[in-house]
Amino acid sequence: MHFSNSMLLMTALTAGSAVARLHGHERRHAHPRDVNIESNPVVTAAPEVADVEKRGEEVFATIDGKLVSWINDWFGEQTSEASSEAAEAAEPTVAPTSIATPTAEATSEAEAISTVSPTPVPSSSSSSGSSNWASYPSNGQYSTSGFGSSTASKRVGALDWDYIGNVGSPWGSNMIRVEEDAASGYKHVIRFENDNSKAWTVVMWNSYGPSGGLNGFWAPNSALSFTVEPGHSIFVAIDDDSQGGWGASEGEGLPTNFVGQYASTWGEFDMSNSQNDGFSGWDVSCIIAELANMDISGMQICNHEGGKCSSITNGATSVVNAYTAADQGKPDKAVSQGPGPVRLVVNLGWSS
């Protein structure tokens, strides 16, 4: 890719847009290829805001041999409400044959990497693996207690990832922490496990951010954040038709690259996608961390029975059904599941 105005664009799609295609059997990321990003040591300052004076400027890029353009509409900060009008305005004018959908740009390649710390929440973690959290309600009726209102899904273009599912109203209320003994009452549940000697930070997001653009994975967006202490587990329930992901990192903060994207190893999910007959899917990705020349930590996602796994070990020395920078555009990496409840186990800091 060649970008005008010396602007580097990196866009990472989550499973919501990709697992959905062909009953979850196709999967693709829209990251630019052959990009080497120099990164600086992690600091604790908040991410800098993009140059507002460039807002409204038309940006051009040649992507896969096609000239595309869009209007810079990113302030670099989170807004308080999502709006359907903003969703449409934030979409770039990219031809349907393109595999990349840039949504925001950096104003300087010299910006420092920052960290985003989790919001303190009451402790509800568990060190026990003996509960029946992975069972299902006998009557087939799943709880929605604690979720916000569901938002209507919509298509905003012809590409796989031009689909906005349920992002919750208020934004991010489609995913909540739940107690272990209540988890079995929800349809989609993820158990985050930490078998390491140090605490891990997890920040979760929807693919589409609070302003309606495809930027939910940019700091400081956070639908849910928490710390998993050593030897403990935390349970998260996710509402129907939700597409998003999470970043995980050892320590107190989550690193970002110089344009503000979360740059740790990712987990990605698509829960009961309404445009794909209720199919679900998940995968692990280190694309952003790898492109930023940052550390790649291990992560494994399996169903509660230990099958349908996607994993990357520390340093990406072993990759199974997961995405590295070399896999951009490939449609066959994610794990899929037919309609019905989802029970996932995430092993943070995974090593085979």
Side-chain angles (χ1 to χ4, degrees):
M1 295 183 181
H2 302 283
F3 297 102
S4 65
N5 299 331
S6 299
M7 294 181 179
L8 177 65
L9 305 168
M10 282 206 323
T11 299
L13 295 184
T14 57
S17 57
V19 179
R21 193 177 181 192
L22 293 182
H23 297 303
H25 295 296
E26 294 204 7
R27 176 72 175 90
R28 77 173 80 166
H29 274 273
H31 303 271
R33 305 174 206 170
D34 302 322
V35 179
N36 185 29
I37 300 175
E38 295 297 330
S39 61
N40 298 318
V42 174
V43 297
T44 57
E48 296 183 20
V49 177
D51 188 350
V52 177
E53 293 183 358
K54 292 184 179 294
R55 181 176 171 88
E57 180 177 286
E58 187 170 14
V59 181
F60 298 88
T62 300
I63 302 176
D64 293 342
K66 294 183 179 296
L67 179 65
V68 298
S69 66
W70 62 94
I71 301 299
N72 173 18
D73 193 30
W74 183 65
F75 271 119
E77 58 187 11
Q78 181 176 354
T79 58
S80 58
E81 298 181 358
S83 89
S84 58
E85 291 80 11
E88 296 175 356
E91 292 301 313
T93 55
V94 183
T97 55
S98 171
I99 66 166
T101 310
T103 58
E105 60 272 352
T107 59
S108 170
E109 297 187 12
E111 292 185 41
I113 294 173
S114 62
T115 62
V116 175
S117 299
T119 302
V121 292
S123 174
S124 63
S125 62
S126 169
S127 58
S128 169
S130 59
S131 76
N132 61 348
W133 70 273
S135 62
Y136 312 122
S138 58
N139 61 3
Q141 300 297 310
Y142 297 99
S143 175
T144 59
S145 177
F147 292 134
S149 301
S150 296
T151 59
S153 62
K154 63 183 296 185
R155 290 207 63 87
V156 293
L159 303 178
D160 290 345
W161 48 84
D162 290 336
Y163 173 75
I164 305 177
N166 174 23
V167 299
S169 179
W171 184 89
S173 61
N174 55 325
M175 53 190 85
I176 58 173
R177 281 184 58 173
V178 295
E179 298 290 343
E180 181 176 7
D181 58 3
S184 62
Y186 291 84
K187 186 175 181 181
H188 314 105
V189 180
I190 303 176
R191 173 178 173 148
F192 291 87
E193 297 185 345
N194 181 6
D195 294 328
N196 306 284
S197 60
K198 296 183 179 180
W200 278 66
T201 293
V202 176
V203 177
M204 304 188 70
W205 58 76
N206 290 302
S207 302
Y208 280 80
S211 63
L214 186 56
N215 55 11
F217 39 87
W218 292 64
N221 292 334
S222 173
L224 188 64
S225 59
F226 48 86
T227 297
V228 188
E229 298 294 337
H232 286 71
S233 299
I234 283 180
F235 297 82
V236 173
I238 300 176
D239 205 358
D240 270 342
D241 201 17
S242 297
Q243 296 82 36
W246 64 84
S249 181
E250 185 179 80
E252 296 183 354
L254 203 63
T256 63
N257 61 22
F258 73 88
V259 296
Q261 292 173 317
Y262 293 120
S264 63
T265 299
W266 290 12
E268 304 184 283
F269 64 82
D270 182 4
M271 299 301 187
S272 296
N273 192 303
S274 64
Q275 75 161 4
N276 193 31
D277 300 328
F279 270 66
S280 299
W282 54 88
D283 67 76
V284 177
S285 172
C286 68
I287 292 179
I288 292 297
E290 186 175 356
L291 289 176
N293 292 325
M294 299 180 69
D295 290 338
I296 298 172
S297 58
M299 185 185 297
Q300 181 194 58
I301 308 172
C302 300
N303 65 19
H304 69 284
E305 297 175 334
K308 290 183 172 292
C309 295
S310 173
S311 65
I312 292 177
T313 57
N314 293 330
T317 56
S318 175
V319 178
V320 178
N321 297 327
Y323 280 86
T324 68
D327 300 312
Q328 297 175 77
K330 292 183 180 179
D332 58 351
K333 293 295 182 180
V335 177
S336 65
Q337 175 185 300
V342 175
R343 300 288 186 265
L344 300 180
V345 177
V346 176
N347 286 289
L348 303 172
W350 168 254
S351 60
S352 57

